[in-house]
């Protein structure tokens, strides 16, 4: 098992190296990409089963017991998110490959796409699995740098600004992260998370708060918490379609995962976290209102993404086993649903030639399949039963109402935000799928990745999107075992014991 | 029971395949599951009227999410509406939709799916199960009202129906969760057995009522229902008369036995219900569109039902259950009759219709029968129900009893009036209006269902014992005060008087329709305007908030991040306030000159306006920091720092060749730079301050450094401990690190080498547009 | 090993100045300045990381007295961080170059769509229909909208279309 | 590569310019860009620095150095050569292309992490390898050296890539857009 846990990190890296060395063979690149990710997904599944059955899986790299060496840890939370993320990554890769084939033909290789894509996947895996604060920094850098390259792969005059915003803000967060690590080391003398948990407790409470808030800001930038979120709606929508889907699905959730992991493991608290409740309310409302003001489909989705980060923050803020488990479940479903919506948005754009809502219409008649592909994730995001979004939201609500009057009030805001989400999505439906069918706009930029017209949309692109829809439906169908597991994950997270024992041995 | 519900839904998914061959056949197939359900329900009557039939399938037990179903007397009544009336309406659809109608395919599948969802809703014995199906009916209604969404009225109506009902639904969800939390279970039967009380339960009940009111189109949420009349008439008949709008009433009926003793429950129910009954009835008198007339009538009746089922007493419950049944049996055929008229003549405007009494005699008689039941004319079911209603409130007495009794009486007068108006409007020969031509005489498929429902109303009115049997078990949940039973004849008593007053008053009101018409157009408050204002207000708020916050400026975004960083950890650090007492000025003398160099270079950097100078100053800082590393005893670090700094300089110089020599930024005034200066300075001080405080608070020796020193030579075969850490102890970091380099290099070449493949072209707006050369096949080949 | 690595005043001042200058440059519009700000912040955080290990001591090479040896771990971490910062710097440099080539200058522009929304005078984007939008700003590149053919609301209300 | 300078007809400018790839292999740049002194220095220093970098690579376990610094030193040698010999000197198709070097470095790094699995060890676990070489006698090598080699290769590749893009690439852009190099 300890080997299995390293492979989700090392295999994609190896794949990236191979795809660079053999960059002249597009077929090999595609095969390597898909096979590697499929294997990683399978391994993640194995890890999840094992971690749920017999406790966290730990790999002591190089045979050095933590805290001397770096430990990779797969507990329920990380294995679950790893599995869902990898499935999304795989589906988006299939989509992207077929989009490329549809647009450029089979023979064109891409020098940067496949290697960067695999490196991004490696970074994400490492971020989920690492049990070391500094390695988390490295993982973030691998992931983010790959994302910088991917977002600036097709820089045009309009897109370069989005790339700038994204890169600059992310760099700032990275440097603040490094600063925070230095502070943590200055105060505690260790960077191993399990070891830190013990040493943090020995710090005076006020100083612990300082460190906790510092890490909160650092990860909050990546997770796009209000008021650290402004960069997101300005950058994601401008990325190429599949890339935007991947970012929207994964990156913010990795940020949230890091927040969840560090806050629960390092900074235990006994009652709801008022500051976080406030941030959650702000994030939910400002994101949802932002979505209502947009005319660009991708921007609208980006704002909804921000809004729903607030839902997870709510789970974290309540800070009990139930709510933290609920937040984990919410994150898992959110990864799939956002990626799906962005892929659907890509398909819509290919058909209509625009992302402007007021330029589209009538797709329910001309593309009924697309309508179905949109409706299911849209309902999921809005939390309408019986979708996964409903189950996850219910988990959060239940945890919230049991935790005192503050959380109950915020639960009310969750309801309001859900309604606003629905309003925004209904607007998309009304404007894109209802109304008069309109002719596709002429392609503004004929040689970019978006080729307008149905003929150029490969069936596998639909299949990949449908696959993600299926994943999201599966979360709903298997909500029973899943919620039971996220509940156990929540208990583990707050208990901290199993994690520390698994990493450090019996006497932490 | 779950299997029945799923059968509906699955078949609905498969129905488009049938529609592809024959659309009428699709409706015929769609009518099967409801029929089977009805038969099944009747076969279970004995058990349903007794202990009830239960079934429970766990879904997510950790969340208390279980699909629990229970067939009891109330559910049985509802199934007659949902499945019985549903099947009849689906049969009507066969004749209503043209064989080539594009709406038919969609409608058949959605109607069947809706029937499934509604069935699940009425069978649910679990709040969450109920919620699941509740929202599904909202979605089905949205799609059925909106249809293809080609016309604005349809879109508006669909959106309004969805938003209003989901708003209530979401509020109700929170109410359910609160209720479930207080009761410890979501199982309705268990909650009712031991109803929770307490502060949050009050909130929960208000929220639940919000859901019920929106779904059942109660004041002030009612406008969505008349608006939804743009849907095809059978859809209106099914969703917006017979079944879906009953969901709210049904929910109130479900929960009343547990909570009707609380003023927070019966108070709003009674006030809102009565108000809705009166307002709906009044508005119905002003409508000229027959369908809208019926819609307002439905609103009014829903208010009536709300009062009866939420009042929390046995006789009222008995009356409510009977009226529930009666309403479906008279309102559905009335809608279908309007549909038939519309189908036959092409209009449903009562100002244009004339003389249909003779042209469509069959429809006219059936509709009259139904309308009479609505008006409460004996011996129809409507009369039986209304008698019981009057009896309930009259015998209750007291302020509430009389208020309700007279309120209901006033409502009944209005009901009779609009019933008469409907019949007059639809069928009467009007002076001055030429008789309407019947272009498509209705076939048996259209009129048959109308007759079936109308006759059922008559039959059940006379066979009131059956209805009594059916409604008794539910009303028995309340204490039996008077031993009242449904019957056609209770002797000469006050209720009978009330009925007479209602009939007489209503007919008088109808005769005075000219005056009423003029009056009823002056409505002081317009709930529809309220909905509009809310939606527009939210949109306006969204634009205002977003426009203000999302400024689009990168420096502002970075500033926001920095301010947050200063505010959160910074303030916490100030509050902690543990400045070390033993802080030295310096540890090694050499640190001072090096620090001075770094600081001076850094400060000069802020004032440099030439790019090249700036890069050189950065180099100075870098080498200075390298020097500090040497002083600190980190030769490896220093070596790397010097090498990296040199390479960075080279890279900078490479790029600077192409850039202008000065920064292009306008030279800002001090005033405009001041916020930046302040934020930056405070940020720097915050970081340094926190660093000092935290470094002074170290809780123990470094965790593993001693271990590194011990293990490095023996186990890792290295005397350079740093090197051992990098390639052995923490080799994974190094692998990740080279990964970053790997990515960055690929990114750099992709970006830079693309330039020569960029193409410029003129934009429509006149300016030049540069198209990216990245991904150009030539570019890809070169990057390779 | 040293237990209390309290950062001395000189170093604290250096850190403060480096961070302040880095932040200041980061907040400017010129991309080159932002880039230089990132480099300065990188130096600052690497220095801070090294300082977190404790005051100056002997290089951590076996053979010196372990008690007088500097903490090796922060050095290793800082080394990794230096490399990563370098990689990021070069990437940002290339991005700045690309931006310069494409746009003709290296200033970070404001987001056009944000500005459009910010400029709307509280004209709500109506929910129900695609046709009663406020007119877009003229600088919207895709403003040649297609005229819609919406039917009459009244006709809709009377349900003419239901006739087979 | 466009070489307008090569056919410079001005004899006074060209009379003493070297015309062959005399000191360094690769294309000959225009005489205006060439500097004899720099070329000679580079010629002398380049191999030495490369050898020194290999020394740094091997000594890393025992003193300051290691794969990273060694790679950078080697990279700086290539930078010097680039400045002296111009972009045409490096990576013009004859030599191994930089992305391949980078990819190889990455591959070596990852494989060295996975290789211990083949010997029943854990991922990234290192061991001492002893070997009797004909001339040197018994040599002991820590297997973590493989990772160092990967790092070394990758860094060299990265520097070459930077030279190709930021160096030659921008230079070519400058020439194509008719601007003069400032430095």
């Amino acid at each position: 098992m300890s080997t299995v846990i390293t492979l989700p990190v090392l295999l994609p890296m190896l794949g990236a190296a191979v795809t660079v060395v053999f960059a002249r063979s597009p077929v090999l690149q595609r095969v390597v990409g898909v096979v590697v990710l499929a294997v990683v997904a399978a391994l993640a599944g194995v890890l999840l089963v094992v971690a749920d059955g017999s406790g966290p899986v730990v790999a002591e790299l190089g045979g050095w017991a933590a805290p001397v060496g770096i430990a990779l840890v797969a507990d329920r939370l990380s294995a679950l998110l790893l599995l869902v993320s990898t499935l999304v990554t795989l589906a988006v890769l299939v989509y992207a490959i077929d989009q490329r084939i549809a647009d450029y033909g089979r023979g064109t290789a891409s020098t940067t796409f496949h290697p960067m894509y695999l490196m991004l996947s490696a970074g994400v895996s490492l971020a989920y699995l690492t049990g070391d604060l500094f390695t988390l920094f490295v993982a973030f850098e691998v992931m983010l740098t790959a994302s910088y390259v991917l977002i600036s792969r097709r820089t045009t005059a309009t897109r370069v600004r989005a790339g700038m915003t994204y890169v600059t803000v992310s760099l700032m967060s990275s440097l603040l992260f490094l600063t925070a690590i230095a502070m943590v080391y200055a105060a505690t003398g260790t960077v191993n998370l399990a070891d830190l948990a013990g040493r943090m407790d020995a710090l005076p409470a006020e100083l612990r708060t300082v460190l906790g808030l510092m890490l909160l800001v650092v990860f909050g930038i990546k997770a796009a918490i209000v008021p650290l979120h402004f960069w997101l709606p300005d950058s994601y929508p401008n990325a190429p379609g599949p890339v935007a889907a991947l970012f929207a699905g994964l990156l913010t959730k990795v940020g949230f995962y890091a927040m969840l992991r560090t806050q629960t493991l390092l900074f235990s608290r006994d009652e709801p976290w008022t500051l976080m409740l406030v941030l959650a309310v702000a994030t939910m409302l400002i994101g949802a209102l932002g979505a209502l003001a947009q005319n660009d489909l991708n921007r609208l989705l980006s704002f909804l993404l921000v809004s729903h980060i607030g839902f997870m923050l709510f789970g974290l803020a309540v800070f009990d086993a139930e709510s933290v488990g609920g937040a984990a479940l919410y994150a898992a479903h959110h990864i799939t649903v956002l990626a799906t919506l962005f892929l659907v948005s890509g398909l819509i754009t290919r058909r209509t030639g625009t992302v402007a809502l007021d330029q589209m219409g009538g797709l329910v008649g001309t593309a009924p399949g697309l309508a179905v592909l949109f409706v299911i994730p849209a309902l999921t995001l809005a939390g309408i039963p019986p979708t996964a979004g409903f189950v996850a939201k219910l988990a959060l609500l239940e945890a919230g109402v049991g935790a005192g009057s503050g959380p109950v009030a915020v639960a009310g805001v969750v309801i309001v935000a859900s309604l606003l989400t629905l309003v925004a999505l209904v607007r998309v439906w009304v404007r894109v799928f209802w109304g008069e069918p309109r002719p596709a706009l002429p392609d503004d930029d004929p040689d970019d990745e978006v080729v307008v017209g149905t003929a150029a949309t490969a069936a596998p692109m639909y299949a990949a999107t449908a696959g993600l829809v299926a994943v999201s439906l599966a979360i709903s169908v298997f909500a029973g075992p899943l919620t039971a597991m996220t509940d156990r994950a929540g208990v583990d997270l707050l208990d901290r014991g199993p994690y520390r024992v698994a990493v450090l041995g019996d006497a932490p | 029971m779950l299997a029945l519900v799923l059968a509906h839904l699955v078949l609905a998914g498969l129905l488009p395949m049938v529609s592809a061959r024959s659309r009428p056949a699709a409706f015929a197939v769609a009518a099967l599951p409801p029929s089977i359900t009805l038969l099944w329900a009747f076969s279970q009557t004995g058990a349903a009227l007794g202990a009830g039939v239960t079934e429970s399938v766990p879904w997510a037990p950790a969340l208390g999410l279980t699909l629990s179903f229970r067939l009891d007397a109330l559910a049985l009544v509802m199934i007659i509406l949902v499945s019985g009336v549903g099947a009849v309406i689906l049969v009507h659809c066969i004749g209503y939709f043209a064989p080539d109608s594009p709406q038919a395919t969609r409608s058949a599948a959605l109607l069947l799916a809706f029937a499934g969802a509604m069935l699940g809703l009425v069978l649910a014995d679990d709040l969450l199960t109920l919620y699941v199906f509740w929202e599904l009916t909202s979605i089905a209604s949205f799609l059925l009202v909106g249809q293809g969404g080609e016309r604005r009225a349809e879109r508006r109506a669909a959106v309004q129906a969805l938003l209003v009902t989901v708003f209530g639904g979401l509020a109700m969800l929170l109410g359910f969760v609160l209720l479930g939390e207080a009761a410890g279970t979501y199982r309705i039967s268990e909650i009712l057995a031991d109803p929770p009380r307490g502060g949050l339960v009050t909130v929960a009940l208000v929220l639940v009522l919000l859901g019920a009111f929106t779904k059942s189109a109660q004041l002030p949420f009612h406008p969505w229902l008349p608006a939804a009349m743009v849907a095809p008439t059978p859809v209106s008949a099914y969703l917006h008369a017979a079944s879906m709008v009953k969901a709210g009433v049904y929910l109130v009926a479900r929960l009343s036995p547990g909570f009707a003793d609380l003023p927070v429950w019966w108070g709003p129910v009674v006030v809102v219900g009565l108000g809705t009954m009166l307002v709906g009835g009044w508005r119905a008198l002003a409508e000229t569109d027959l369908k809208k007339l019926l819609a307002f009538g439905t609103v009014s009746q829903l208010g009536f039902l709300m009062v009866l089922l939420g009042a929390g007493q046995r006789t009222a419950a008995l009356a409510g259950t009977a009226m529930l049944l009666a309403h479906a049996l008279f309102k559905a055929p009335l809608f279908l009759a309007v549909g038939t008229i519309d189908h036959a003549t092409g209009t449903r405007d009562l100002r244009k219709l004339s003389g249909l009494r003779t042209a469509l005699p069959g429809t006219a008689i059936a509709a009259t029968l139904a309308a009479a039941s609505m008006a409460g004319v004996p011996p129809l079911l409507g009369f039986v129900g209304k008698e019981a209603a009057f009896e309930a409130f009259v015998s209750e007495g007291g302020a509430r009893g009389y208020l309700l009794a007279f309120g209901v009486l006033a409502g009944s007068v209005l009901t009779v009036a609009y019933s008469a108006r409907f019949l007059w409007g639809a069928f009467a020969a009007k002076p001055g209006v030429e008789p309407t031509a019947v272009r498509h005489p209705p076939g048996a498929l259209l009129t048959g269902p109308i007759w079936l429902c109308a006759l059922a109303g008559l039959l059940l009115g006379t066979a009131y014992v059956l209805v009594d049997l059916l409604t008794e078990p539910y009303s028995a949940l309340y204490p039996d005060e008077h031993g009242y039973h449904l019957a056609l004849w209770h002797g000469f008593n006050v209720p009978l008087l009330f009925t007479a007053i209602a009939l007489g008053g209503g007919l008088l009101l109808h005769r005075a329709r000219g005056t009423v018409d003029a009056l009823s157009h002056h409505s002081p408050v317009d709930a529809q305007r309220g909905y509009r204002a809310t939606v527009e207000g939210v949109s306006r708020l969204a634009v205002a908030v977003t426009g203000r916050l999302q400024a689009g400026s990168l420096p502002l975004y970075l500033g926001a991040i920095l301010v947050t960083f200063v505010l959160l950890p910074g303030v916490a650090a100030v509050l902690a306030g543990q400045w070390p007492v033993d802080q030295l000025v310096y540890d090694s003398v050499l640190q001072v000159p090096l620090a001075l160099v770094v600081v001076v270079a850094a400060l000069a950097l802020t004032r440099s306006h030439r790019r090249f100078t700036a890069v050189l100053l950065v180099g100075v800082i870098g080498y200075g920091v390298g020097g500090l590393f040497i002083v600190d005893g980190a030769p490896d670090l220093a070596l790397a720092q010097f090498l990296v700094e040199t390479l960075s300089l080279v890279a900078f110089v490479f790029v600077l060749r192409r850039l202008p020599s000065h920064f292009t930024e306008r030279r800002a005034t001090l005033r405009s730079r001041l916020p930046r200066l302040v934020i930056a300075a405070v940020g720097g001080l915050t970081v340094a301050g926190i660093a000092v405080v935290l470094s002074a608070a170290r809780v123990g020796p470094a965790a593993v450094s001693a271990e590194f020193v011990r293990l490095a030579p023996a186990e890792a075969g290295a005397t350079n401990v740093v090197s051992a850490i990098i390639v052995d102890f923490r080799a994974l970091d190094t692998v990740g690190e080279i990964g970053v380099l790997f990515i960055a290099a690929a990114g750099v070449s992709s970006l830079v080498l693309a330039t020569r493949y960029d193409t410029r072209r003129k934009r429509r707006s006149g300016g030049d547009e540069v198209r990216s050369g990245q991904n150009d096949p030539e570019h890809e080949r070169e990057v390779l | 090993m040293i237990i209390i690595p309290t950062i001395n005043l000189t170093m604290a001042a250096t850190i403060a100045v480096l961070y302040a200058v880095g932040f200041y440059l980061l907040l400017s519009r010129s991309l080159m300045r932002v880039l230089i700000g990132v480099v300065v912040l990188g130096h600052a955080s690497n220095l801070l990381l090294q300082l977190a290990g404790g005051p100056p001591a002997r290089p951590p090479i076996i053979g010196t007295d372990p008690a007088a040896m500097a903490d090796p771990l922060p050095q290793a971490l800082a080394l990794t961080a230096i490399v990563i910062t370098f990689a990021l710097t070069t990437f940002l440099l290339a991005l700045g170059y690309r931006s310069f080539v494409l746009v003709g200058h290296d200033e970070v522009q404001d987001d056009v769509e944000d500005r459009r929304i910010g400029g709307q005078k509280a004209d709500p984007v109506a929910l129900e229909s695609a046709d009663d939008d406020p007119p877009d700003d003229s600088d919207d590149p895709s403003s040649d909208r297609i005229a819609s053919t919406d039917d009459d609301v009244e006709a809709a209300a009377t349900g003419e279309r239901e006739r087979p | 590569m466009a070489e307008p300078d090569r056919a410079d007809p001005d004899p006074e400018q060209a009379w003493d310019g070297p015309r062959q790839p005399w000191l360094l292999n690769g294309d000959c740049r225009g005489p205006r860009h060439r500097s004899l002194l720099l070329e000679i220095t580079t010629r002398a220093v380049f191999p030495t620095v490369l050898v020194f970098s290999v020394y740094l690579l091997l000594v890393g376990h025992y003193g300051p150095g290691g794969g990273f610094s060694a790679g950078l030193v080697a990279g700086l040698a290539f930078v010097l050569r680039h400045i002296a010999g111009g972009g045409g000197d490096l990576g013009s198709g004859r030599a191994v292309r930089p992305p391949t070097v980078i990819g190889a470095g990455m591959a070596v790094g990852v494989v060295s992490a996975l290789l211990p699995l083949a010997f029943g060890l854990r991922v990234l676990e290192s061991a001492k390898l002893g070997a009797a070489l004909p001339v040197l006698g018994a040599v002991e090598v820590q297997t973590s050296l493989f990772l160092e080699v990967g790092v070394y290769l990758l860094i060299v590749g990265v520097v070459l890539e930077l030279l190709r893009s930021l160096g030659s690439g921008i230079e070519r852009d400058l020439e194509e857009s008719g601007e003069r190099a400032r430095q």
Side-chain angles (χ1 to χ4, degrees), chain B residues 117 500 577 617 646 731 755 776:
Chain B
L617 287 170
T646 311
T755 305
D776 187 288

Side-chain angles (χ1 to χ4, degrees), chain B residues 305 557 578 621:
Chain B
L305 289 171
Y557 296 173
Q578 295 173 333
I621 297 177

Side-chain angles (χ1 to χ4, degrees), chain C residues 53-141:
Chain C
R58 313 279 313 184
I61 293 175
I62 302 296
T64 47
D65 173 19
M69 203 184 273
D71 189 348
L73 183 57
Q75 296 190 10
L77 302 186
L79 194 51
T80 307
I82 287 176
V83 181
I84 289 177
T85 341
F86 166 70
L88 299 177
T89 310
T90 52
F91 181 78
L92 197 54
L93 196 55
L95 190 59
Y97 173 73
R98 182 103 187 95
S99 163
F100 176 80
V101 169
L102 287 172
V103 193
H105 54 81
D106 72 335
E107 284 186 27
V108 189
Q109 300 299 299
D110 280 357
D111 192 287
V112 182
E113 183 74 7
D114 281 339
R115 284 291 179 211
R116 190 184 70 76
I117 291 165
Q120 275 178 11
K121 292 193 182 52
D123 260 337
V125 188
L127 176 95
E128 296 95 338
S129 149
D131 312 308
D132 39 9
D133 259 350
D136 282 359
D137 285 2
S138 51
D139 60 351
D140 190 340

Side-chain angles (χ1 to χ4, degrees), chain A residues 134 137-138 141 145 148-149 152 155-157 160-161 163-165 167-168 171-172 174-176 178-179 181-183 185-187 189-191 230 233-235 238 290 292-296 299 303 354 356-360 423-424 426-427 430-431 436 438-439 441 444, chain C residues 5 19 23 26 31 34 37-38 41-42 45-46 48-49 52-53 71 73-74 76-78 80-81 84-85 88 91-92 95-96 98-99 102-103 108-114 116-117 120 125-133 136 141-146 148-149 151:
Chain A
F134 191 78
F137 168 75
V138 175
E141 291 319 305
T145 319
Y148 303 157
V149 180
S152 59
T155 42
T156 55
V160 76
R161 192 207 48 74
M164 289 300 167
T165 308
V167 174
T168 314
L171 275 178
M172 180 157 183
S174 300
L175 290 167
L176 289 179
L178 199 56
T179 308
I181 290 177
M183 308 270 194
Y185 192 84
T190 184
V191 283
F230 295 114
D234 284 3
S235 55
N238 292 301
L292 286 180
Q294 305 303 318
N295 185 40
D296 173 327
R299 294 179 77 96
F303 272 103
T354 177
L357 292 176
D358 57 5
Q359 311 271 317
M360 311 184 197
V423 173
V426 162
R427 246 189 68 196
V430 168
R431 297 192 161 213
E436 289 294 319
R438 301 191 182 199
L441 292 184
D444 213 28
Chain C
Y19 270 98
F23 287 148
L26 208 57
L31 197 71
V34 171
V38 168
L41 280 179
S45 45
N46 290 330
L48 182 61
L49 198 53
D71 189 348
L73 183 57
L77 302 186
T80 307
I84 289 177
T85 341
L88 299 177
F91 181 78
L92 197 54
L95 190 59
R98 182 103 187 95
S99 163
L102 287 172
V103 193
V108 189
Q109 300 299 299
D110 280 357
D111 192 287
V112 182
E113 183 74 7
D114 281 339
R116 190 184 70 76
I117 291 165
Q120 275 178 11
V125 188
L127 176 95
E128 296 95 338
S129 149
D131 312 308
D132 39 9
D133 259 350
D136 282 359
S142 49
S143 57
D144 44 341
R145 58 185 60 248
I146 300 154
S148 93
T149 53
D151 8 3

